[in-house]
């Protein structure tokens, strides 16, 4: 069956392209509205004309794709909160001085060392109605936390915009939050919070209460804390309390997908519901009752698990499968996936930029498309071997599909993923069945001790297997440089070779060879681009001074940090090297004078000693040197002043004012991020 012959494929691709164009090009609402109106008129006219003239069917198809494209653009703009006049981003005073703000707590997210963290909805700022999602950071102390999901709270504080990455090639947390429509954060202590007695009892409140009830009943049954946190992730997708060590084990073993609730988990839920409903006869009325029960159960599961993109995708997909079964129609899996994509993105277009959403769909498409081909390689007669082989081919299909995008986002690859999946598959199947039973019982009462112990020991065994595989960390390939050119050409080559393998032909072979040439071109272009780069970077590091000088792929690092000199890993420099396809040639003690591209650079450290005859182009200030900056600028006459993050905030404010009075550019890495000199 030719997937790309389906009209739904073209409509979905056009819709996604519309979202992408609106996201990256940011067209005006007026221009998008005009395009949408033109698209509606165009398709309406062609719809009536195509009945009389069949030759116009091609134009009708093009107009349908164009309209879908316009709807995609419109959908993203409508769902962009910052474009709404009522969004708090437009209240400039709230970012400048403290204001009285009322909020409703929506969701608890992963805490850090210092704060409990929540997603909240803003209601008012200084009694004026505003809207929008925001993160609240509540400082941890010895007092019990009085707030719960659904609380309406009032605080007097200042909104702080999300700061973008301050070092090159680092994860941009600001962009990540922006894609979730979160534009600012609040930092408060418990004493600053006034809690309204009235609680907003919406669907989020009841979901949180249900979640809390399950946790409390599991704690009453003396469920081990470490195993319980993994259980909450496995069954309900709640990863907030899992320790960093356990998450790292799952990453290194290639089993991270187990902790992310997806199709596997929702499939078990659906099978469990069907098992419970088995006594109901398959009459017209009985079938309808089963359908309603399945849809309601899946919807409740999605809400309790936090409405994450993978859960939504799986719930929507399995709901369509259930509806098709009820209507006694053959379900085309590609149609089901495409409809689920359209429905989800129609309501939440920003899910398209969620890594979990991308990985889940790519993995599922790969399994559906590629697994039957891999399965044909071997056909074991033994049932156990056949079961293991099917599990292994599913794992390989998913890994082949997600391999390029995993390298692009995470720059590492777990070499023992196939071993992990073979070992955990039987245990995981049991855990999912036992976990559903335990969670259902825990909703109503404390689960019987023997069931809890069985469930707990099975999770302990799972963690033990994962930890054992993760211990072979030499099989984890890290720091793999991979850019967008590689990503696109790798996928093109992968798709064309699979198409050729499925049904060999000269035309398909020719297309595959073209894709290989494009892949090689991406390597050549990247190498040429890398070798042409020459730059000096002053990093934003609070406890040490780090400066790199790059010529092509060779990087020379200057630092005053003794640990870096010994060759220990550093996240700042590692991210820079990986992102620029570079390698570290040498690490040297920082010098007071550097030369780069014909420019003389003077570094003044805590000693504050310098020669007034040097006449540098750029001065770098580190470790809060006690100098008279005005006198230094008069003597040296630099063209720019750079202050890294080792300097105190107070002294940097004085320097900034002095540079402004002298009209000399001042760059503080703590405020503006890293400094780059080409």
């Amino acid at each position: 069956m030719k997937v790309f012959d389906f009209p739904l494929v073209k409509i979905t691709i056009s819709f996604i392209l519309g979202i992408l164009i609106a996201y990256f090009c940011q067209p005006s609402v007026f221009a998008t509205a005009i395009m949408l109106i033109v698209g509606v008129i165009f398709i309406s006219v062609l719809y009536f004309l195509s009945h009389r003239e069949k030759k116009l069917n091609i134009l009708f198809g093009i107009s349908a794709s164009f309209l879908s494209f316009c709807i995609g653009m419109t959908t993203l703009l409508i769902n962009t909160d910052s474009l709404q006049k009522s969004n708090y981003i437009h209240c400039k005073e709230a970012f400048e001085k403290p204001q009285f703000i009322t909020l409703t707590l929506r969701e608890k997210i992963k805490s850090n060392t210092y704060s409990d963290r929540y997603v909240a909805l803003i209601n008012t700022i200084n009694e004026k109605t505003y809207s929008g999602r925001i993160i609240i950071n509540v400082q941890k102390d010895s007092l019990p936390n009085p707030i719960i999901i659904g609380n309406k709270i009032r605080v007097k504080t200042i909104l702080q915009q999300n700061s973008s990455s301050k070092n090159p090639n680092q994860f941009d947390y600001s962009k990540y939050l922006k894609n979730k429509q979160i534009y600012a954060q609040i930092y408060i202590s418990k004493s600053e919070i006034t809690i309204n007695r009235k609680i907003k009892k919406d669907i989020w409140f009841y979901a949180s209460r249900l979640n809390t009830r399950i946790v409390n009943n599991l704690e009453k049954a003396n469920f081990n804390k470490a195993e319980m946190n993994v259980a909450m992730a496995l069954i309900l997708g709640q990863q907030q309390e899992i320790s960093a060590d356990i998450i790292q084990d799952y990453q290194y073993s290639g089993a991270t997908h187990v902790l992310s609730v997806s199709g596997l988990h929702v499939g078990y839920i659906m099978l469990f519901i069907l098992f419970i409903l088995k006594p109901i006869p398959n009459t017209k009325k009985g079938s309808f009752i089963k359908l309603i029960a399945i849809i309601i159960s899946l919807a409740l599961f999605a809400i309790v698990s936090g409405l994450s993109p993978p859960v939504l995708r799986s719930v929507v997909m399995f709901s369509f499968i259930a509806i098709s079964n009820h209507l006694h129609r053959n379900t085309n899996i590609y149609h089901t996936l495409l409809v689920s994509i359209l429905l989800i993105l129609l309501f939440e277009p920003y899910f398209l930029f969620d890594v979990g959403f991308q990985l889940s769909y790519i993995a599922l498409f790969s399994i559906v498309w590629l697994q039957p081909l891999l399965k044909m390689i071997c056909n074991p007669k033994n049932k156990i071997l056949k079961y293991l082989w099917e599990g292994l081919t599913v794992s390989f299909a998913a890994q082949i599909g997600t391999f390029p995008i995993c390298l692009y986002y995470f720059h590492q690859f777990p070499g023992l993923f196939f071993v992990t999946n073979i070992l955990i598959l039987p245990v995981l199947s049991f855990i999912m069945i036992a976990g559903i039973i335990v969670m259902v019982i825990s909703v109503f009462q404390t689960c019987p001790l023997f069931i809890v112990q069985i469930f707990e020991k099975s999770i302990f065994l799972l963690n033990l297997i994962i930890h054992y595989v993760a211990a072979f960390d030499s099989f984890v390939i890290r720091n793999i440089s991979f850019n967008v050119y590689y990503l696109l050409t790798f996928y093109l080559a992968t798709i064309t070779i699979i198409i050729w393998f499925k049904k060999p032909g000269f035309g398909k072979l020719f297309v595959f060879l073209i894709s290989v040439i494009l892949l090689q071109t991406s390597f050549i272009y990247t190498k040429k681009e890398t070798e042409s780069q020459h730059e000096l970077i002053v990093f934003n590091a609070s406890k040490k001074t780090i400066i790199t000088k790059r010529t092509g792929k060779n990087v020379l690092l200057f630092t005053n940090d003794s640990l870096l000199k010994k060759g220990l890993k550093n996240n700042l420099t590692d991210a820079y090297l990986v992102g620029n396809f570079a390698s570290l040639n040498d690490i040297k003690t920082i010098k007071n004078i550097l030369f780069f591209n014909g420019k003389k650079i003077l570094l003044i450290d805590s000693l504050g000693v310098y020669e007034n005859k040097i006449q540098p182009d750029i001065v770098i200030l580190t470790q809060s040197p006690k100098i008279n900056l005005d006198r230094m600028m008069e003597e040296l006459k630099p063209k720019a002043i750079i202050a890294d993050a080792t300097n105190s905030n107070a002294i940097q404010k004085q320097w900034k004012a002095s540079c402004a009075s002298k009209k000399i550019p001042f760059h503080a890495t703590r405020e503006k991020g890293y400094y780059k000199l080409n």
Side-chain angles (χ1 to χ4, degrees), residues 247-254 412 414-416 469-470 473 476 478:
I247 289 177
Q248 181 176 285
D249 282 346
Y250 276 80
Q251 288 174 343
Y252 286 0
S253 63
Q412 68 177 29
L416 294 177
V469 177
D473 60 349
V476 181
R478 300 182 184 87

Side-chain angles (χ1 to χ4, degrees), residues 175-200:
K175 185 178 179 182
Y176 169 80
L177 291 179
K178 186 179 178 182
N179 287 339
K180 292 184 175 292
Q181 309 290 292
I182 298 172
Y183 308 106
Q185 299 192 48
I186 289 174
Y187 295 84
I188 51 175
S189 61
K190 293 171 187 173
S191 60
E192 296 176 281
I193 300 173
T194 303
I195 303 175
N196 193 319
R197 291 183 180 180
K198 189 176 180 181
I199 296 175
K200 187 176 181 180

Side-chain angles (χ1 to χ4, degrees), residues 107 207-215 218 228-240 242 258-262 265-266 269 297-298 300-308 311 431-432 435-436 438-440 442-443 455:
E107 176 189 358
S208 176
R209 286 287 296 270
L210 188 62
N211 206 292
T212 303
R213 184 178 178 85
I214 291 170
V215 171
L218 289 176
M228 184 177 72
N229 292 336
V230 174
M232 294 301 290
L234 286 170
I235 311 301
L236 299 178
Q238 305 293 328
Q239 301 183 29
Q240 294 94 325
I242 301 181
V258 172
L259 296 177
S260 301
V261 175
S262 58
H265 305 72
V266 178
I269 297 286
S297 301
L298 292 180
L300 288 173
F301 173 74
I303 293 165
V304 173
S305 61
L307 293 173
S308 66
V311 174
I431 286 173
M432 291 305 301
I436 293 167
V438 168
M439 296 298 170
V440 170
S442 298
V443 169
F455 185 42

Side-chain angles (χ1 to χ4, degrees), residues 155-173:
V155 296
K156 186 178 183 181
T157 187
I158 189 169
L159 301 185
Q160 297 189 23
Q161 288 187 337
N162 302 317
S163 57
S164 57
S165 175
K166 296 292 178 67
N167 284 298
N169 306 108
Q170 276 195 319
F171 172 68
D172 194 341
Y173 188 58

Side-chain angles (χ1 to χ4, degrees), residues 511-580:
V511 174
F512 167 64
L513 293 175
I514 293 294
S515 70
V516 172
I517 292 171
L518 290 173
L519 179 60
Q520 292 173 327
T521 304
S522 71
F523 285 126
I524 295 167
Y525 179 78
T526 300
K527 186 178 180 181
K528 185 179 178 181
E529 190 179 48
T530 301
E531 290 177 349
S532 65
Q533 292 292 324
H534 300 276
E535 62 187 21
L536 181 138
I537 301 287
V538 180
F539 284 79
N540 179 61
S542 59
K543 297 181 180 179
K544 49 189 171 282
T545 298
I546 300 175
I547 300 173
T548 59
K549 187 191 290 186
R550 179 160 79 97
T551 305
K553 68 176 184 178
N554 300 315
V555 173
L556 182 61
L557 190 148
F558 298 93
T559 184
N560 58 358
D561 184 43
S562 57
L563 296 177
L564 263 177
K565 291 175 188 174
K566 292 177 183 177
L568 293 181
K569 293 285 184 183
N570 180 275
N571 291 334
L572 301 184
T573 54
D574 283 351
Y576 176 68
L577 294 173
V578 172
N580 290 282

